Amino acid sequence: MTTRWVGDNQKETIMASGKSTACHGVVIIGAGHSGGRASERLRHFGYTAKITLIGKEGDAPYERPPLSKGVLLTAGSEADTFLFENDWYSQNDITLMTNSEVIWIDRLAQSVVLSCGTDVPYDSLIIATGGRLRHLNALGADLKNILYLKTMKDAKALREKLNNATRLVVVGGGFIGLEVAASARSLGVDVTVIEAADRLMGRAVPKNIGDLVAKRHAERGIKIVLGKCVECLQGVRAVEQVVLSDGGVVVANLVVVGVGILPETELAERAGLLVENGIVVNDLCKTSDPAIYAIGDVACRKVAPNSCSFRTESWQNAEAQAALVAAAITDQEAPECEPPWFWSDQDNMNLQIIGQPLDWDNSITRGTPGEGPFLMVKMDGNHPVGAISINAKREMLLMRKLLKAKLPIDRDALSDEQTPLKKTVLSALKG
């Protein structure tokens, strides 16, 4: 056992294990949804030491799903997105540092270094840095009125632009792009969505669902262009038109690019943590350094030595992993994890996905697309392992319970639309 000086007239004891008895508490890098929720869950599980929450943005932690919907449509609605009231952090003895950037993680000293030169020591570190935007690599991408959407500041800027926009081009047919397109169309803007793949939301849903969503958007007046890339963007100072890979031209006075994010792993890489499509973590969100955890969009979770690793960008994942890491740090029993769940509201469509099957073959469907609730259930034998729904919130709630229980179901009853789904699922849950 040794001692060292850590500040003016302050010593700490270093045990033989290397663990310091000084209580520097938990530092969280990233004051987004997952980081903010982790601070709350730590207090919920009885953590009494210091918590420091550090974020680049000027805003306190908020939820991001409303940015492409409610925040775009209604001025002032951003107040409803914040996780907690402004005084909640001081009331719970949490140091919230906004407009602050961590530039270095010193694993040996167990401290982080801010861009202003300040060191913040930690006993446990949580990395919740999220992702960085993929940018459009095309000539003219630096023209004015070409926007991206990731932060509250982005959403406010886009809302202001939409007030004067007449022709919007959305580059990217994923969830964010389609939500922005639907919001803009509800404001009366002429909208064209350009997707390089042959279907919408290709990474998340099968082609029949992508085609159905495309049809529904087209019925609302949104033009869908599939299988075309953006060759260049043209205009004098601001964008005026988008030139496609086949030579086609789409007139636009506003462009929103939504082509996904990349996990923000730079800090972790410089610190020597294991990184593979995100910061690799175990089932408790612990990284290759036992004092460091990672959660949210940046975390790539591997729950068993020979299992597949996966990174999930969703509201539910931010909530679940925040609870996992807080339980791990406080030595509490880990909360039971639900299957991955995601939703997207696109105008009058509510799309939900549960589970992460490798494909959607061997699925059972209920309902007729476009005519009321529609549900598709991916089966592995008699076990449901995933589900997709459109405007079927009640049905998806039942499926979430069933997938969480990991129980088999009567395939014939599930296929029979004359048999109420609730009856079939409750029968399966009772065993």
Side-chain angles (χ1 to χ4, degrees):
M1 183 169 67
T2 61
T3 60
R4 70 177 181 185
W5 294 99
V6 295
D8 293 342
N9 300 318
Q10 183 182 0
K11 289 189 297 183
E12 67 177 357
T13 302
I14 309 299
M15 308 303 292
S17 64
K19 182 69 174 179
S20 168
T21 60
C23 191
H24 297 306
V26 173
V27 171
I28 304 172
I29 306 175
H33 183 175
S34 56
R37 183 60 70 188
S39 70
E40 182 271 332
R41 290 288 87 186
L42 282 166
R43 291 292 186 238
H44 172 81
F45 284 124
Y47 190 77
T48 58
K50 185 176 182 181
I51 299 175
T52 305
L53 181 57
I54 307 170
K56 288 183 183 180
E57 294 183 47
D59 293 304
Y62 57 87
E63 298 180 345
R64 296 189 188 273
L67 298 185
S68 55
K69 299 177 281 290
V71 175
L72 287 188
L73 297 174
T74 308
S77 62
E78 54 266 30
D80 298 329
T81 69
F82 291 102
L83 292 184
F84 313 109
E85 299 292 336
N86 289 337
D87 58 357
W88 181 87
Y89 299 94
S90 59
Q91 289 177 355
N92 287 274
D93 195 24
I94 294 170
T95 301
L96 174 60
M97 303 175 66
T98 56
N99 292 313
S100 299
E101 182 178 3
V102 175
I103 60 172
W104 186 258
I105 299 171
D106 188 333
R107 290 171 56 191
L108 182 62
Q110 289 199 186
S111 70
V112 300
V113 182
L114 305 184
S115 57
C116 63
T118 300
D119 286 5
V120 183
Y122 64 83
D123 295 318
S124 295
L125 177 66
I126 302 173
I127 302 176
T129 47
R132 65 182 187 276
L133 290 167
R134 292 179 183 268
H135 282 260
L136 186 62
N137 183 21
L139 185 65
D142 57 348
L143 288 167
K144 291 183 179 179
N145 289 348
I146 299 175
L147 278 65
Y148 294 79
L149 178 59
K150 182 176 182 291
T151 67
M152 184 71 74
K153 183 179 179 181
D154 295 336
K156 290 178 179 178
L158 178 54
R159 184 176 66 207
E160 186 67 26
K161 292 290 185 180
L162 283 173
N163 289 333
N164 300 310
T166 56
R167 294 179 178 273
L168 167 68
V169 166
V170 176
V171 181
F175 295 111
I176 294 298
L178 293 175
E179 288 172 4
V180 169
S183 296
R185 184 60 190 148
S186 70
L187 295 173
V189 180
D190 182 274
V191 180
T192 300
V193 175
I194 300 170
E195 168 56 48
D198 63 351
R199 56 177 162 160
L200 298 179
M201 304 174 294
R203 291 186 301 165
V205 303
K207 190 175 187 305
N208 66 320
I209 298 296
D211 291 345
L212 171 60
V213 171
K215 181 175 181 292
R216 298 287 291 272
H217 280 302
E219 291 170 350
R220 303 288 288 183
I222 296 174
K223 302 174 187 67
I224 306 293
V225 179
L226 299 175
K228 304 291 189 299
C229 298
V230 174
E231 186 70 22
C232 66
L233 302 106
Q234 297 176 340
V236 178
R237 283 179 291 275
V239 66
E240 297 174 9
Q241 60 184 24
V242 179
V243 180
L244 305 182
S245 52
D246 65 349
V249 175
V250 183
V251 176
N253 58 3
L254 179 63
V255 171
V256 174
V257 180
V259 290
I261 67 168
L262 295 168
E264 186 55 84
T265 59
E266 185 179 355
L267 272 174
E269 291 176 48
R270 291 206 304 260
L273 298 176
L274 181 59
V275 173
E276 295 174 6
N277 183 34
I279 304 171
V280 176
V281 298
N282 65 8
D283 58 338
L284 296 178
C285 294
K286 186 175 290 187
T287 71
S288 51
D289 183 322
I292 302 178
Y293 301 79
I295 59 175
D297 293 354
V298 76
C300 187
R301 194 162 175 235
K302 194 176 186 70
V303 296
N306 297 320
S307 68
C308 295
S309 57
F310 57 91
R311 188 173 60 83
T312 306
E313 301 166 8
S314 71
W315 179 94
Q316 181 243 11
N317 185 60
E319 292 275 321
Q321 292 192 345
L324 275 176
V325 73
I329 289 173
T330 56
D331 292 323
Q332 302 288 321
E333 184 177 352
E336 185 178 0
C337 284
E338 294 189 10
W341 170 63
F342 177 84
W343 84 90
S344 175
D345 288 314
Q346 301 172 26
D347 196 18
N348 62 346
M349 278 189 297
N350 172 260
L351 172 69
Q352 295 192 39
I353 306 170
I354 184 171
Q356 291 180 314
L358 295 177
D359 60 64
W360 290 92
D361 299 336
N362 190 32
S363 293
I364 294 172
T365 61
R366 293 176 64 99
T368 302
E371 299 179 10
F374 176 75
L375 178 68
M376 185 168 75
V377 183
K378 164 69 176 181
M379 301 296 294
D380 182 4
N382 291 325
H383 284 78
V385 294
I388 299 176
S389 70
I390 295 178
N391 292 340
K393 293 182 179 181
R394 293 180 181 178
E395 290 83 351
M396 187 56 89
L397 182 60
L398 290 168
M399 296 310 304
R400 287 176 62 192
K401 291 179 179 179
L402 186 61
L403 265 70
K404 181 179 180 180
K406 299 180 180 179
L407 293 172
I409 194 170
D410 186 328
R411 288 181 63 110
D412 292 336
L414 182 61
S415 301
D416 182 8
E417 296 189 29
Q418 300 305 312
T419 302
L421 181 65
K422 184 175 182 179
K423 178 182 178 180
T424 303
V425 171
L426 290 180
S427 176
L429 290 174
K430 289 177 182 177

